[in-house]
Amino acid sequence: MSETTVTQLATHDSAHEPTATGERADLLEVLAKHRQFLRFTTRDLTDEQAGRRTTVSQLCLGGLIKHVTAVERAWAPFILEGPSAMPDFTTMTEADWARRADEFRMLPGETLTGVLADYAEAARRTDELVATLPDLDATQPLPKAPWSEPGARWSARRVLMHIIAETAQHAGHADIIRESLDGAKTMG
């Protein structure tokens, strides 16, 4: 990919946003690629189709996009603010978990257009943060969660790799859901 294309991906073609270079541009390029794979799975769908479960899991295409939006909205502030930007998962109630489960499904009144617009805004904020972060090596202690190693710290770089991994994993889930829905594939 050319340097011009990387710059466009990193800044969403906006002359007012900072431009990422080097490692930051590489991270954003990979993230942009997986975001595009995920968004592409929703092409030409209705809101009803975007909310339909097509496998035994609870996942739907709109819900997957809502989830990766929530991932970016939670982890990007964590880079700057640390665990105070995230909930203490060890104290969450059943009602908290139920609300969290709503990010995996399309709720009444939600539209695919709205879900995609929210995702684009979260992506823009993440990209801007990556481009302007003073230090990718700066670390924060992980939030309290049953799955977090006590005392573990993640660098900004590690958080970005986590966001990339989440997006790539859910783009793969989305491929399966879309193929089960109507036979359409992201590739091939």
Side-chain angles (χ1 to χ4, degrees):
M1 190 171 282
S2 74
E3 184 157 315
T4 301
T5 303
V6 171
T7 301
Q8 289 170 346
L9 290 172
T11 64
H12 302 283
D13 295 325
S14 173
H16 304 292
E17 292 182 20
T19 300
T21 60
E23 178 184 15
R24 293 163 198 261
D26 291 344
L27 289 166
L28 289 175
E29 181 182 346
V30 171
L31 182 54
K33 178 178 93 175
H34 291 292
R35 284 175 180 149
Q36 178 55 31
F37 285 148
L38 179 59
R39 284 190 306 265
F40 190 65
T41 63
T42 66
R43 70 197 177 283
D44 303 324
L45 293 181
T46 65
D47 294 338
E48 187 273 327
Q49 289 171 313
R52 190 181 305 157
R53 291 175 44 215
T54 63
T55 66
V56 296
S57 84
Q58 295 294 316
L59 301 176
C60 68
L61 293 171
L64 283 173
I65 291 175
K66 283 177 59 178
H67 173 66
V68 294
T69 301
V71 165
E72 290 200 37
R73 284 191 174 143
W75 283 104
F78 169 84
I79 291 171
L80 297 174
E81 302 166 30
S84 66
M86 300 180 91
D88 177 344
F89 292 97
T90 63
T91 63
M92 287 178 63
T93 65
E94 284 188 38
D96 294 329
W97 287 109
R99 277 190 298 279
R100 187 168 164 86
D102 283 345
E103 64 182 50
F104 288 97
R105 60 181 151 262
M106 296 271 292
L107 300 176
E110 291 180 329
T111 65
L112 179 57
T113 299
V115 167
L116 289 168
D118 286 346
Y119 187 36
E121 178 57 20
R124 184 196 63 74
R125 288 182 179 166
T126 300
D127 292 354
E128 184 177 327
L129 175 65
V130 172
T132 60
L133 238 136
D135 185 3
L136 291 177
D137 291 321
T139 66
Q140 298 281 3
L142 287 179
K144 290 184 181 177
W147 50 84
S148 293
E149 180 185 338
R153 299 179 67 87
W154 277 9
S155 68
R157 180 182 296 100
R158 176 66 183 93
V159 171
L160 294 169
M161 290 189 304
H162 175 69
I163 292 170
I164 292 166
E166 280 273 328
T167 305
Q169 178 180 17
H170 292 310
H173 292 146
D175 248 356
I176 292 167
I177 292 168
R178 180 63 192 258
E179 190 171 356
S180 298
L181 180 67
D182 63 4
K185 299 177 187 178
T186 301
M187 299 170 86

